DNA sequence: ACTTGTTACTAAAACGATTGCGTAGAAATA
DNA sequence: TATTTCTACGCAATCGTTTTAGTAACAAGT
């Protein structure tokens, strides 16, 4: 099947012109007379000619496409980030290739290799929860592949980064729970190796410390796969709910963990917020309609995507090796709904 | 920035071999001695050589990538379809380029043009709600671009298609409402021009007819943009709830319409199902956790994506023009939850 | 000694578009 | 008329890889 067979050569043959004349005519070169240009353009349109982008890429040395690596697009946060990325990329004539790691390190490596072997001009990446190191990216970075990290970033590679103010988001959420009268506030979170976990954990701890509330370490539960498997959260909840100093509130990170927590609490007939209050990081548009309406820390997903893409494009377009890098931090917003409202028992 | 500069020519120079020898050695050709192969491979690895995929594409005449057009990946149904697509595509060495129409016809045309001008080997497309005709696809189809439709299909182009059993899904949902004792069953749906609307509408009507229930036409509300804007559903609900023969149940199609309906009914303090029962098409994983838990028609999104991709790849790989086309219909599943359970008032 | 075969390689032509350089012919200038 | 300057186009190289069509060098068969 050879789709789109018509080439610049076919036009040249049809009009008895040289290939270069046709090319130049189509690119509106001053070297070509108006008459010939008109002739060529008319012929091109009539034959529905489209320049072969692969040939153009080969000649020009770029592919006009950027690669994206996220954990999963089923997560609304990433879907929103991707929308932001596309909005900027398309405007600049770049298209995007989206890949998903499903939190797996292996898949992350495979996707990155696949993307680079498909020739991308730059990479936007949010690390997988299972990623232990970034050696697979360091080589590429050293070779000069422009990359920008967002959401889950690494300190081991010096480049542009875009993140939410995870510390403050967690601080605000925890403080809100404290202000609402909760004292035994547990935390279910992603693995401790990824950046968002550390930052949010720090915010959580700081809010508790600032309020002078002592919280035992076992109130902090890590989900090895970031909540990919329901059992991770089941285990955490079973543990927490069976403590003799059972928490009266839970602060969760990540969409998946948050929504699974509310699902499981409902299933276990644990009343929210009467038995346990809940505040979680999530970008789902359904927070209002959940049972109960979910208090949530919302991130500016779309804007994160936009900013990261702008930075990536600036790297791609830069004629000089860039050495000054920036980490942009976007604010989060706490939406208070019923799941964290203190009720009289 | 020239990333990944080392080419087959550099290796040839370094080893004092010809370019073709190096190429053949790397491709493990029988024409090259083991000694030379070893030499070349060692040199390639040492220099971290990667074949330039653009040059390969140009030579081989394919890009090993397929284009996807959906309305929005924020819709979990499409996210799941895409996961299915990727699972098959990546296994076969293809990567995917995802584009979104946000239900706009203009964007659909732009995306399709963009994809084809980026050289894709095939196209997977679910039509936008606003798409009035498929002229923009007919040309491409005529030129031989392999394409497979899924979800929202057209009769005007003869190719493979993969859809859910929309008729039966709607029939089952409506029948369930009837069986639960509801009689005045309204329908909020997408614009009448797209296939899923027609099919689901037919199922809805058939179930009512089979039960001998007369339903006025004004019980059927169309959302011009498939529920993209909240006002579309607000208008529909305002209209329905102010009727003197106000419906006692609503059947909604599409994720967006369904979740927005439950949001608005909650906001309007209309009790579900006491005042109005609700069954909707949705693939959200949160149906269980909504307030109230949402009865829903669930589609096999992942499987739709898989099947569509298998069919597309068979078209791409076919040496002969394919003339026999197939429409695969996958079953839907009705999950009964509280939103459609008859309660005593 | 002469054909025939095999091995292990190279030269060159693709793929399609772009571009620097060259040039025929016309027009302008000396 | 001779020379220079334009105009409008063509030639050929280029991007990096693959592939076809060779071809030396040597061995084996007749």
């Amino acid at each position: 099947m050879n789709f789109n067979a018509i080439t610049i050569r076919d036009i040249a043959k049809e009009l008895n012109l040289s290939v270069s004349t046709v090319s130049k005519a189509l690119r509106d070169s001053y070297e070509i007379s108006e008459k010939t240009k008109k002739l060529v353009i008319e012929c091109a349109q009539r034959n529905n000619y489209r320049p072969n982008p692969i040939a153009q890429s080969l000649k020009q040395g770029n592919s006009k496409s950027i690669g994206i690596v996220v954990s999963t697009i089923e997560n609304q946060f990433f879907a929103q980030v991707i929308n932001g990325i596309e909005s900027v990329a398309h405007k600049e004539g770049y298209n995007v290739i989206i890949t998903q790691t499903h939190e797996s390190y292996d898949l992350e490596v495979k996707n990155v290799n696949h993307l680079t072997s498909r020739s991308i001009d730059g990479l936007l990446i949010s690390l997988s929860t299972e990623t232990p190191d970034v050696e697979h990216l360091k080589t590429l970075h050293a070779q000069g592949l422009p990359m920008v990290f967002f959401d889950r970033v690494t300190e081991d590679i010096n480049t542009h980064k875009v993140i939410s103010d995870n510390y403050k988001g967690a601080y605000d959420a925890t403080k809100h729970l404290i202000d609402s009268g909760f004292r035994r506030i547990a935390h279910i979170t992603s693995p401790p190796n990824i950046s968002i976990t550390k930052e949010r954990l720090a915010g959580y701890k700081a809010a508790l410390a600032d309020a002078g509330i002592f919280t035992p370490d076992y109130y902090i539960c890590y989900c090895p796969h970031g909540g990919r498997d329901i059992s991770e959260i089941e285990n955490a909840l079973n543990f927490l709910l069976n403590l003799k100093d059972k928490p009266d509130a839970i602060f969760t990170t990540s969409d998946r963990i948050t929504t699974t927590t509310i699902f499981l609490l409902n299933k276990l007939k644990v009343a929210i917020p009467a038995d346990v209050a809940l505040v979680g990081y999530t970008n789902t548009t359904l927070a209002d309609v959940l049972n109960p309406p979910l208090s949530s820390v919302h991130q500016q997903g779309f804007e994160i995507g936009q900013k990261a893409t702008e930075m990536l494009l600036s790297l791609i377009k830069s004629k000089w090796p860039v050495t000054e890098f920036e980490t942009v931090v976007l604010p989060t917003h706490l939406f208070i709904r019923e799941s964290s409202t203190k009720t009289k028992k």
Side-chain angles (χ1 to χ4, degrees), chain A:
Chain A
M1 307 257 25
N2 59 328
F3 159 65
N4 213 18
I6 172 153
T7 76
I8 216 166
R9 203 174 311 272
D10 301 326
I11 298 180
K13 208 162 288 171
E14 182 172 331
L15 299 178
N16 261 322
L17 288 169
S18 80
V19 185
S20 46
T21 304
V22 175
S23 173
K24 285 173 182 167
L26 289 171
R27 319 202 82 243
D28 203 25
S29 160
Y30 68 96
E31 293 179 272
I32 308 297
S33 71
E34 288 306 320
K35 205 177 58 187
T36 310
K37 276 184 193 169
K38 200 164 287 174
L39 215 63
V40 169
I41 290 168
E42 187 276 328
C43 179
Q45 282 181 344
R46 181 158 38 77
N47 290 298
N48 200 21
Y49 166 80
R50 314 263 205 117
N52 180 328
I54 294 184
Q56 287 178 317
S57 288
L58 180 61
K59 193 82 210 341
Q60 271 140 32
N62 63 23
S63 63
K64 282 278 181 181
S65 61
I66 63 187
I68 306 181
V69 178
V70 296
S71 62
T72 167
I73 58 171
E74 274 196 78
N75 182 325
Q76 290 224 1
F77 168 69
F78 288 118
Q80 289 158 17
V81 172
I82 289 169
N83 281 344
I85 292 172
E86 286 196 333
S87 74
V88 175
H90 288 171
K91 206 170 51 194
E92 302 271 339
Y94 284 76
N95 64 359
V96 305
I97 304 177
I98 303 166
T99 63
Q100 309 182 75
T101 64
H102 300 288
E103 307 296 8
S104 144
Y105 172 62
D106 277 357
L107 268 175
E108 180 173 303
V109 173
K110 270 191 196 142
N111 285 340
V112 168
N113 285 338
H114 188 232
L115 283 173
T116 53
S117 86
R118 297 291 324 153
S119 244
I120 50 171
D121 293 348
L123 183 66
L124 290 170
I125 180 166
S126 169
L127 295 170
S128 154
T129 53
E130 291 177 6
T131 297
D133 60 65
V134 290
E135 291 308 315
H136 54 304
L137 296 170
K138 270 190 180 164
T139 335
L140 293 170
H141 184 241
Q143 282 179 39
L145 176 68
M147 55 177 76
V148 172
F149 288 88
F150 64 93
D151 185 48
R152 296 126 172 232
V153 302
T154 176
E155 287 178 1
D156 296 348
I157 292 180
N158 191 22
T159 184
H160 291 320
K161 289 155 200 173
V162 184
I163 55 176
S164 283
D165 195 341
N166 287 302
Y167 176 89
K168 183 155 184 303
Y171 188 98
D172 289 350
T174 311
K175 181 163 190 310
H176 158 65
L177 287 170
I178 297 169
D179 289 347
S180 303
F182 300 101
R183 286 295 173 272
R184 298 188 307 282
I185 302 170
H187 185 35
I188 307 182
T189 187
S190 320
N193 57 304
I194 59 174
S195 61
I196 53 172
T197 306
K198 291 180 203 159
E199 293 159 15
R200 293 173 190 176
L201 185 60
Y204 159 82
K205 282 186 170 168
L208 290 166
D210 286 356
I213 299 175
F214 170 78
T215 298
D217 275 352
Y218 54 74
Y219 266 23
I220 300 165
C221 302
Y222 298 99
C223 298
H225 305 288
R228 187 187 64 192
D229 309 326
I230 193 169
S231 59
E232 304 178 55
I233 295 140
E234 264 172 348
N235 293 342
L237 285 178
N238 277 338
F239 172 78
L240 290 174
L241 297 175
N242 286 317
L243 289 172
K244 57 176 184 299
D245 51 342
K246 189 177 74 120
D248 56 6
I250 302 177
F251 166 51
T252 53
T253 57
S254 100
D255 253 87
R256 200 95 165 221
I257 294 176
T258 303
T259 53
T260 308
T261 299
I262 196 169
F263 170 76
L264 287 173
L265 288 178
N266 279 348
K267 192 169 149 199
L268 294 168
K269 310 268 183 227
V270 175
I272 314 171
D275 296 337
V276 174
L278 182 63
V279 178
Y281 259 85
T282 179
N283 267 41
T284 177
T285 48
L286 296 176
D288 255 315
V289 199
L290 294 177
N291 180 26
L294 176 69
S295 295
S296 61
V297 182
H298 181 270
Q299 302 179 76
Q300 301 190 8
F302 191 88
E303 289 78 9
I304 290 175
Q306 284 186 310
K307 190 68 205 170
T309 311
E310 284 164 11
M311 293 171 113
L312 183 68
L313 291 179
S314 84
L315 289 180
I316 291 174
K317 291 176 179 172
S318 164
K319 296 286 171 199
W320 307 87
V322 181
T323 50
E324 287 289 301
F325 296 107
E326 203 183 340
T327 295
V328 172
V329 180
L330 271 70
T332 58
H333 292 284
L334 176 64
F335 289 90
I336 298 173
R337 300 195 183 87
E338 279 176 38
S339 72
S340 62
T341 309
K342 186 85 176 186
T343 51
K344 306 111 212 150
K345 270 212 186 173

